[in-house]
Amino acid sequence: MLAPALEVPIQNGTGSIPTVGLGTWTVFGEQGNADEVEKACLAAIDAGYRHIDCAWCYGTQPGVGRALEAKIREGVITREDMFITTKLWDTHHNPSLVSEELKDSLTTLRTDYVDLFLIHWPLALQDQDMSGKPIAPLDADGKGIPAEHALEDVWKAMEECHRAGLTRNIGLSNFNKKQVDRIMKICTIKPSNMQVEVSPYFSNSRILDHCRQLGMTLTAYAPLGAPNRPWRETGEPNVFEDPVLKEIATVKRKTTAQVILRFHIQRGLVVIPKSIRTSRIQENIQIFDFTLTDDEMSKIAALDKNLRVFKESIGFNHKEYPFNEPF
Ligand SMILES: NC(=O)c1ccc[n+]([C@@H]2O[C@H](COP(=O)([O-])OP(=O)(O)OC[C@H]3O[C@@H](n4cnc5c(N)ncnc54)[C@H](OP(=O)(O)O)[C@@H]3O)[C@@H](O)[C@H]2O)c1
């Protein structure tokens, strides 16, 4: 077994985040595949992962909970060894639903706290109960039906969850600069983490730099560019076919995935690659035994194409849609 990965200290909060976490969004199917994710989590913990990235809307948290319980029972880990993130879904922005959703996540994750609770998107949708049906209420055009819950009020409810001991840290995901600044203006507990899309083709540098200056830790989602996404558009490039990345991988005797993940962590980011295959899960954490040179880092940085692949089309008409701003 590998030694647990390195960690990034949390400035605006408690503890530190292991640099490599396992993603648990299985893409296909409304409710995800919890059994597949359970096996992936078991393999990940055996491979040295101590960080799992979850969300209420992925529908895979029951699998994460079963894996955590099994590995704690086996004596491989304690709960304290693990860093578990979950996220507040769009249909639960009503401040009266925020802690209800987190408690629902805690039940499925089989734990009494998470380490990090993020607002998944700044896109409040029509209130729903915890049945998850529908995950996103849509209008006839396939756009999410918005709800009027101010982001500032949602943040206050997140702070209450922190005060109640349900989560050790709170943070944001997919917010733009103006939205981050609005939270900074009213918060009594600062956001400790920002989770955004980052890949070699999407550096997302401006929002990362802004949040870094505010003392937030930074997590790169879809760090491998979500190569198997079903909505890939014709002609969109795939990082795994990139000649620059392939050449650096050959020189380093590493895989393309390892080079990409190492690139991100040398930028000071936490990465949460998703895989359900044991060999890839192991591969994706074996990135602490080599270093990219400044020249290699510059060559990879030059691949940026500003190619965002998570555009969240259900939010296109929403007044808080985050990606109409420059960053
Ligand atoms: N905050 C947000 O809004 C948000 C949005 C998207 C994602 N996320 C989080 O970020 C995590 C990762 O993002 P993602 O799953 O979209 O994309 P990703 O991690 O960039 O890519 C995952 C895909 O790459 C494949 N893969 C993994 N390791 C590989 C390797 N070593 N070699 C070749 N292929 C490999 C996986 O296939 P196999 O499984 O078949 O190996 C999977 O199809 C998610 O699971 C979720 O936890 C958060």
Side-chain angles (χ1 to χ4, degrees):
M1 193 184 90
L2 287 174
L6 300 177
E7 303 191 329
V8 175
I10 298 175
Q11 193 179 320
N12 300 345
T14 309
S16 51
I17 311 186
T19 315
V20 180
L22 180 74
T24 61
W25 183 51
T26 52
V27 185
F28 305 105
E30 271 242 312
Q31 280 302 299
N33 188 331
D35 292 343
E36 232 170 40
V37 166
E38 179 180 357
K39 286 187 204 132
C41 289
L42 293 170
I45 292 169
D46 284 342
Y49 287 64
R50 295 294 178 263
H51 171 187
I52 302 179
D53 181 75
C54 315
W56 185 91
C57 77
Y58 297 166
T60 57
Q61 292 190 150
V64 179
R66 289 195 294 271
L68 286 176
E69 196 173 78
K71 286 293 165 190
I72 290 170
R73 200 173 39 226
E74 276 178 41
V76 177
I77 49 162
T78 64
R79 171 65 186 89
E80 286 295 307
D81 293 333
M82 298 300 296
F83 191 98
I84 307 296
T85 300
T86 191
K87 312 187 191 86
L88 178 76
W89 182 234
D90 303 354
T91 55
H92 301 146
H93 278 214
N94 184 327
S96 70
L97 293 177
V98 173
S99 70
E100 195 183 325
E101 190 211 82
L102 181 50
K103 285 176 189 162
D104 190 60
S105 286
L106 294 179
T107 302
T108 49
L109 290 167
R110 304 184 186 206
T111 182
D112 50 15
Y113 71 93
V114 287
D115 298 275
L116 178 62
F117 186 36
L118 302 173
I119 304 180
H120 204 150
W121 289 88
L123 299 168
L125 296 183
Q126 191 179 65
D127 295 355
Q128 301 287 319
D129 63 20
M130 299 298 148
S131 69
K133 294 185 176 105
I135 280 286
L138 302 178
D139 65 17
D141 298 326
K143 299 288 170 275
I145 302 171
E148 290 291 327
H149 302 302
L151 292 175
E152 290 84 349
D153 294 338
V154 186
W155 187 256
K156 293 284 172 198
M158 300 286 287
E159 291 185 344
E160 284 308 313
C161 291
H162 181 271
R163 285 192 194 97
L166 303 174
T167 180
R168 297 213 163 152
N169 296 285
I170 49 179
L172 306 172
S173 179
N174 297 304
F175 277 46
N176 63 32
K177 176 184 183 297
K178 283 187 183 162
Q179 291 166 331
V180 171
D181 291 346
R182 277 164 56 195
I183 299 302
M184 290 304 291
K185 210 167 159 189
I186 58 96
C187 66
T188 53
I189 301 171
K190 288 183 188 170
S192 57
N193 177 264
M194 173 64 129
Q195 184 177 123
V196 288
E197 180 183 342
V198 183
S199 79
Y201 292 159
F202 187 55
S203 73
N204 219 347
S205 295
R206 287 181 294 175
I207 191 70
L208 291 173
D209 290 345
H210 184 64
C211 291
R212 199 192 298 270
Q213 279 166 15
L214 296 172
M216 298 163 75
T217 53
L218 308 169
T219 303
Y221 79 65
L224 302 173
N228 304 321
R229 62 188 180 280
W231 63 92
R232 169 189 292 284
E233 288 170 27
T234 322
E236 271 182 355
N238 177 346
V239 289
F240 284 93
E241 288 158 14
D242 191 286
V244 172
L245 292 168
K246 279 164 73 172
E247 193 192 319
I248 294 174
T250 305
V251 170
K252 295 296 189 190
R253 296 172 189 247
K254 285 284 172 181
T255 66
T256 300
Q258 288 169 327
V259 167
I260 294 169
L261 296 170
R262 181 75 205 184
F263 168 71
H264 294 316
I265 68 167
Q266 283 188 217
R267 287 183 74 199
L269 309 179
V270 170
V271 290
I272 47 171
K274 170 261 173 188
S275 180
I276 48 155
R277 298 167 206 239
T278 300
S279 61
R280 286 178 176 175
I281 290 168
Q282 292 167 343
E283 175 187 331
N284 291 346
I285 201 170
Q286 286 166 6
I287 57 172
F288 296 96
D289 57 355
F290 75 112
T291 308
L292 296 169
T293 63
D294 290 347
D295 183 50
E296 288 162 339
M297 287 294 290
S298 304
K299 279 187 180 148
I300 302 173
L303 300 176
D304 185 21
K305 303 178 197 307
N306 201 28
L307 179 69
R308 185 192 293 284
V309 302
F310 285 84
K311 300 195 178 93
E312 199 67 352
S313 58
I314 61 167
F316 281 171
N317 296 339
H318 199 290
K319 70 173 185 187
E320 295 283 9
Y321 183 69
F323 306 142
N324 291 330
E325 294 289 323
F327 70 100

